[in-house]
Amino acid sequence: MKVKIISLALILMLLLSGCSGLAGNVDELLSPPRLTLQQSRITDLLDEHVGSAVRLKYPRRGEFLSPFVTSDLDGDGINEIVVFYSDESTSRNVHLAVFSLQKDEYVLTSESEGLGTEIEAISISDLYGNGSPSLIVGYTSTNLSDKYLAIYNYKDQTLQKLYDQGYSEYVLADFTGNATNDLVVLSPATQPGPIEASLLTVQNGTLATIYSVTLDVRLQSCIALAATPAGDGTNALVIDGTLAGGAYASEVLRCENKKFVSYSFELGSDIVNLTKRDTPLLKSRDADNDSMVECPVVLGTIKDGAGNARWLWVSYYDFTNIETFENNFVQTTKFPRTIVSALPNTLPKPTPTPTPSTTPQPTATPEPSNEKVFGVVDIAYNCFVPLPVGWKNNVALRSLAGDDWCIVKKGDEESKLLIMQMVAKEDTLADNILVYGKREEYKQVGTSAGSRIYARILGGGGANPTAVLNNITVLG
C-alpha cells in the first residue's frame, strides 16, 4: 500500500473545523456542504492513492452526517480519522480509509470495502467495554431497500470487520444493565413475515445474539426505532411502525432478564391501539426536552371547511413511567366548520365512589390525566404546537383567514389565547390589528410547505410564552 502523509498541523485544523459531524439532515440539503481546504487536501490524497477521483459518501441520517469521522478507535488517546468514499473505477460500494498518527504525521493505514453503495447511518460505541470504540456502519443500496449492518474494530493499524447482517433499523443503548451499550437489530424490511428484534451484547469478549423476539404482528414495518431511559438504569425500546390499511402505531418494550416484554401488560392498556394514528408525521420523540422518548396519542380530530382532517389534538406519553393510562379529554367546543372526535381505544374508567361527607361535594369529579405533553398538530403545515395541559377541555380551535388559526377559550371564540399565521414567501404578516394584533408581537417558529410559520401568545391563558413558542416543532 502506498503511504500518504498529512501533517499534524493540518489534521488539528481539520478537527477544529468540526469534521466529525454536520448540523442538520443530509436529506434536507440542496447540495453537499462545501469542503474546507483541509478536507479537500485529504480528498486529493485519496484521489492519488486510488488513481482516480473519489466521491465522498455522506450518511443519510444519524449522529454523524459527514464523510469525515474522528474517534480514538484503538484506545491510545489519539484520534483516528475515517473517511467514507467510493471509487467507481473499481467498485460502486462505499470504501473506508483510516488515517492514524505516526511520528507527528497522519498516514493512511487501513482500507476496507463496505457492504453497500450508500451509507444509512454511522455510530461509534464502546460495545466491548475496553476503551476501544467500535465503528458501526449501516449500509444501503441506491433504492434504499437492501440494508446491511457492519461492526468494525481498529487494532494493530488494521480495520477488522467483526459482524455483519441484513437489517432495517438498529439502536444502541444499555438494555440489559451491564453498564455498556447493547445492540438491537430489526430484521430486514425485505424479509417476509413479522418483524424480528435481536438483542446483541458482548459476552466473554464476543458480540453475540442473546435473544430474539417477534414483535406485535400488527406492526408490518418499522419507520423509527429509539431507546429511552426506563428508570432502573436500563433502557426501553420504542418502535414506530406501519399497520395494515396505511395507519401507524407505536410499541414500547422493556428488557426483563434479557428478554423484551411489552409495557402494555403493566399498563392494562394496548399501547399499539392507544397510539394508532393516520399520519406518519407523528413519531415517538423527546417532546419536552427531558431526554425521554414519548409516544403520541391522538385525542381528537378537527376538520377544515372542506371536510378534511386538518388538525389533531395530541398528548405525548412516557409509557415507561406510568402505572395506568389516563386521559381526561372529553370534547371541544364546535365552532362552525370544525368536527371533533373522541379519544379512541381507551379502557373504560371506573366510576368514582362518592365519599360521605357533610361538606357540599362537586357535581362531577374530573378524570385524571398523566400525559407529559399536550398540544395541536397542524397536518397541512407539519407542525406541533404544545399547549399547557391545563388548557385541555377548556379551549377550542378556530379557523381564521386562509390557513391561519387560533386557540380560544371554550365557549368564547373572541377570547384568543394563541394565534398561528402561515405566511407564504411572497406575503407578509396580516395587518388586521383587530383580529391578529400587532405584527411585532409575532415570532417566526418554523418553515413548512413553502410558508413561514408565525405564532403569538396572548395574555389571559396563563401560558408561558417562551415554553410554547420555543417548543413549536416542524415534524418530519
Side-chain angles (χ1 to χ4, degrees), residues 228-232 252 263 266-267 290 292-294 317-324 370 372:
T228 186
D232 59 356
V252 186
Y263 275 93
E266 297 181 9
L267 291 172
D290 65 349
M292 309 289 288
V293 177
E294 291 88 24
Y317 280 82
D318 175 10
F319 287 114
T320 70
N321 281 304
I322 58 175
E323 295 182 356
T324 59
N370 57 355
K372 294 277 291 296

Side-chain angles (χ1 to χ4, degrees), residues 2-270:
K2 297 180 181 178
V3 176
K4 303 304 169 188
I5 298 175
I6 306 175
S7 71
L8 177 59
L10 182 151
I11 296 301
L12 291 176
M13 292 175 65
L14 173 63
L15 299 182
L16 291 173
S17 70
C19 63
S20 62
L22 297 171
N25 190 309
V26 170
D27 289 339
E28 298 172 355
L29 301 175
L30 296 178
S31 60
R34 179 176 296 179
L35 298 180
T36 64
L37 176 60
Q38 292 78 21
Q39 292 169 342
S40 297
R41 291 184 62 180
I42 289 178
T43 305
D44 290 341
L45 288 172
L46 287 173
D47 290 344
E48 183 182 350
H49 174 72
V50 302
S52 62
V54 301
R55 180 181 179 186
L56 297 174
K57 304 298 290 189
Y58 290 79
R60 294 178 52 80
R61 58 189 173 93
E63 177 185 0
F64 297 94
L65 296 176
S66 169
F68 302 89
V69 175
T70 62
S71 179
D72 178 13
L73 296 178
D74 55 8
D76 65 355
I78 302 173
N79 281 339
E80 281 72 42
I81 301 174
V82 183
V83 184
F84 293 84
Y85 69 98
S86 64
D87 171 18
E88 298 186 0
S89 66
T90 58
S91 171
R92 295 186 59 204
N93 279 356
V94 175
H95 287 70
L96 298 78
V98 182
F99 290 87
S100 299
L101 185 64
Q102 295 181 5
K103 297 181 180 179
D104 295 332
E105 295 177 331
Y106 271 88
V107 299
L108 180 58
T109 55
S110 185
E111 292 178 275
S112 179
E113 182 176 344
L115 304 178
T117 58
E118 305 294 332
I119 304 175
E120 180 74 10
I122 299 171
S123 302
I124 293 177
S125 177
D126 187 5
L127 293 173
Y128 291 81
N130 59 6
S132 299
S134 299
L135 179 67
I136 300 100
V137 183
Y139 297 98
T140 186
S141 57
T142 304
N143 60 17
L144 306 182
S145 60
D146 298 321
K147 298 167 67 174
Y148 298 92
L149 188 68
I151 298 177
Y152 303 89
N153 274 8
Y154 182 71
K155 184 178 181 181
D156 298 329
Q157 298 186 3
T158 302
L159 194 64
Q160 305 170 336
K161 185 174 65 177
L162 304 180
Y163 169 91
D164 67 85
Q165 76 168 58
Y167 83 109
S168 59
E169 298 289 342
Y170 76 91
V171 65
L172 293 154
D174 181 4
F175 296 102
T176 60
N178 60 7
T180 60
N181 276 346
D182 305 300
L183 174 66
V184 170
V185 181
L186 300 191
S187 55
T190 54
Q191 178 177 305
I195 305 171
E196 293 183 0
S198 297
L199 174 62
L200 294 88
T201 192
V202 173
Q203 295 184 331
N204 300 320
T206 302
L207 182 67
T209 300
I210 62 171
Y211 179 67
S212 293
V213 62
T214 299
L215 300 183
D216 192 304
V217 295
R218 290 170 292 179
L219 298 175
Q220 297 187 338
S221 65
C222 176
I223 61 172
L225 185 67
T228 186
D232 59 356
T234 67
N235 287 270
L237 189 67
V238 183
I239 306 109
D240 288 341
T242 60
L243 304 175
Y248 305 85
S250 302
E251 174 63 299
V252 186
L253 308 176
R254 61 182 174 86
C255 191
E256 182 178 296
N257 297 322
K258 299 182 179 181
K259 295 182 178 180
F260 283 118
V261 180
S262 174
Y263 275 93
S264 293
F265 297 106
E266 297 181 9
L267 291 172
S269 300
D270 184 349

